Amino acid sequence: MVSLFSGRILIRNNSDQDEVETEAELSRRLENRLVLLFFGAGACPQCQAFAPVLKDFFVRLTDEFYVLRAAQLALVYVSQDPTEEQQDLFLRDMPEKWLFLPFHDDLRRDLGRQFSVRRLPAVVVLKPGGDVLTSDATDEIQRLGPSCFANWQEASELLDRSFLQPEDLDEPARRSITEPLRRRKYRVDRDAGRSRGRSRSGHDSGDPQGDAGAGAELW
């Protein structure tokens, strides 16, 4: 899959528009994933109508708000926009995890010819090895929504990585929201135990500072 974009730069659709330009970075984002090539244009009314559907489809499969683990799915927007401004406007409300080719890259046009794209919008689904699984999945996505991913996963014999720990390409693994409370409770219980031990030791030895020393340790 990486070979399709070898020597090219892909850009993340985040506010900084970070570039994905090394082979290692491309591998992290594309290897062992189904890759959707979304051919569209902001000036195309059909694309404007389909874009929210595709956005919802992608988010419900990759956002941890909806799923325990993000699906092994990547999307590359292959712009057919006539101007860079229209491309940027079209991508403005799309997910940050989407990737896209720079506007000046001729691969935008070459990919359309390579995959025989005849109309817009079009979504070409590629297996992890780069072979075409579906030449145009726009109708399937509109009819079945996220459930069609399971069909693609089975048909492409995608290696299931659900047994691995969750991963995030951009951030460290998130901790439980209750972890700070649990850590604080553990520390209070631990220090209270130590204080009781020192208090007993102070009384046994006749040390008048036994209780004072224990109290100074509390926080």
Side-chain angles (χ1 to χ4, degrees), residues 3 10 86 102 156 162 167 172 174 181:
S3 60
L10 289 177
Q86 286 180 307
S156 65
S162 60
E167 64 177 309
R174 299 176 183 174
L181 298 177

Side-chain angles (χ1 to χ4, degrees), residues 4-24:
L4 185 63
F5 300 101
S6 181
R8 306 285 183 165
I9 293 175
L10 289 177
I11 303 174
R12 289 186 57 218
N13 190 40
N14 58 5
S15 57
D16 294 328
Q17 295 200 338
D18 298 320
E19 294 183 353
V20 181
E21 53 186 344
T22 68
E23 296 294 320

Side-chain angles (χ1 to χ4, degrees), residues 116-133:
S116 302
V117 174
R118 297 285 183 256
R119 65 184 179 92
L120 299 178
V123 178
V124 179
V125 182
L126 301 179
K127 298 179 181 181
D131 294 332
V132 175
L133 179 63

Side-chain angles (χ1 to χ4, degrees), residues 37-51 77-82 90 108-109 112 116-124 136 138-139:
L37 300 181
F38 173 35
F39 295 83
C44 164
Q46 293 85 353
C47 297
Q48 289 283 3
F50 177 67
Y77 175 58
V78 186
S79 167
Q80 305 300 300
D81 295 285
F90 185 73
R108 296 188 304 116
R109 306 295 181 188
S116 302
V117 174
R118 297 285 183 256
R119 65 184 179 92
L120 299 178
V123 178
V124 179
D136 188 0
T138 52
D139 291 339

Side-chain angles (χ1 to χ4, degrees), residues 151-212:
N151 299 333
W152 300 343
Q153 188 176 30
E154 181 178 359
S156 65
E157 299 180 348
L158 182 66
L159 176 62
D160 185 6
R161 300 186 303 180
S162 60
F163 61 90
L164 298 177
Q165 290 295 317
E167 64 177 309
D168 193 301
L169 295 172
D170 310 311
E171 300 177 358
R174 299 176 183 174
R175 295 178 175 176
S176 167
I177 192 172
T178 63
E179 181 174 353
L181 298 177
R182 289 187 283 108
R183 289 168 64 92
R184 180 179 178 86
K185 181 179 183 302
Y186 168 77
R187 185 174 177 185
V188 169
D189 292 344
R190 179 196 63 191
D191 289 351
R194 290 179 179 175
S195 298
R196 287 192 296 271
R198 280 191 291 269
S199 177
R200 288 193 298 271
S201 175
H203 285 304
D204 293 344
S205 63
D207 182 359
Q209 295 183 356
D211 290 336

